[in-house]
Amino acid sequence: MGQAQQNHDQPPAAQLPPDDVVGVLLTQHARIRKLLEAVRSGPAEERERNFRELRALLAVHETAEEMIVRPTVKKIGGGEEAAARNGEEKDAGKTLAELEKLDSGSEEFVTVFAGFEQAVHEHAAREEREEFPSLRRLCTQEELCRMGRRLLAVERSAPTHPHPSTAGSTAAQWTFGPFAALLDRVRDAVTSSSPERPDATAGSDGP
């Protein structure tokens, strides 16, 4: 890995290069928090749509972290930290699978979702407090941007926030199906973005 960065503080996403991996993850965290709130306190008639969008974003975010970011965290000496974050995301996936079997208008859904929301907030806070600063200290800007470009490529391959007018398109259909299927599709997208693949960098220089 590259030499440690001099600035150990974590700047906000808006102050980072658009393809910096920490900035990309912080931006996704902000979207996840908004969707959690929308599912919990938004109009009941929009709860199912918001929940599908949240699942899709979490599938992209968590799988990309596990396959792109965590190997680097482990390499720079954070093996226990990487394992802990991966474990939290595995538990969240199990709860999501439970939630998708429930009627989003039921009291049971609301109760289970409340615990899920709290766990996601705590997980994101640990990443922002422990994992992201480590990446910024111990990776070069080139390394951070290389990971960020892969994350952006994966998000484009697995769209997470389709416009209502795209009904019937690949982007709209992505939010349907069980969470396990979403994870499989994201894993395929991450594999396709691997630097070892000849076509991995195609179209990866921008959102």
Side-chain angles (χ1 to χ4, degrees):
M1 303 307 294
Q3 295 179 345
Q5 305 239 340
Q6 294 300 311
N7 183 5
H8 291 187
D9 295 329
Q10 179 178 288
Q15 294 180 11
L16 297 171
D19 55 356
D20 184 294
V21 66
V22 174
V24 173
L25 293 173
L26 287 171
T27 298
Q28 290 183 345
H29 277 188
R31 287 171 53 202
I32 289 168
R33 289 181 174 111
K34 287 182 180 179
L35 284 168
L36 286 166
E37 181 179 2
V39 174
R40 171 174 44 82
S41 59
E45 62 271 18
E46 297 182 11
R47 183 179 294 159
E48 182 64 28
R49 177 180 60 80
N50 287 328
F51 178 62
R52 287 199 306 269
E53 186 173 337
L54 173 65
R55 287 187 321 141
L57 179 54
L58 287 171
V60 169
H61 179 77
E62 295 181 359
T63 304
E65 282 186 327
E66 178 184 351
M67 297 180 69
I68 298 172
V69 179
R70 298 275 150 66
T72 297
V73 173
K74 185 175 181 179
K75 187 175 181 180
I76 61 180
E80 291 184 4
E81 181 177 309
R85 300 294 81 78
N86 283 339
E88 291 165 2
E89 290 174 356
K90 184 177 181 180
D91 289 341
K94 292 178 181 177
T95 306
L96 269 177
E98 179 183 353
L99 282 165
E100 65 189 6
K101 296 176 184 177
L102 302 175
D103 180 352
S104 62
S106 68
E107 286 299 321
E108 185 178 5
F109 179 95
V110 173
T111 299
V112 175
F113 187 83
F116 172 76
E117 180 181 16
Q118 181 64 31
V120 172
H121 281 309
E122 291 174 356
H123 171 75
R126 292 188 190 101
E127 288 181 332
E128 293 173 5
R129 183 175 62 249
E130 302 168 12
E131 194 169 59
F132 295 177
S134 295
L135 287 169
R136 294 206 57 77
R137 283 196 306 270
L138 300 171
C139 296
T140 65
Q141 190 61 58
E142 179 183 356
E143 290 164 340
L144 293 170
C145 289
R146 187 182 304 122
M147 286 188 285
R149 285 192 292 271
R150 287 189 68 194
L151 260 71
L152 291 170
V154 170
E155 187 169 352
R156 285 195 300 273
S157 299
T160 59
H161 51 296
H163 188 277
S165 65
T166 62
S169 70
T170 300
Q173 292 302 314
W174 162 247
T175 62
F176 290 87
F179 186 66
L182 303 188
L183 292 177
D184 286 342
R185 183 170 175 182
V186 178
R187 290 189 183 103
D188 288 342
V190 173
T191 300
S192 297
S193 75
S194 171
E196 284 75 26
R197 290 176 59 93
D199 58 347
T201 58
S204 63
D205 291 343

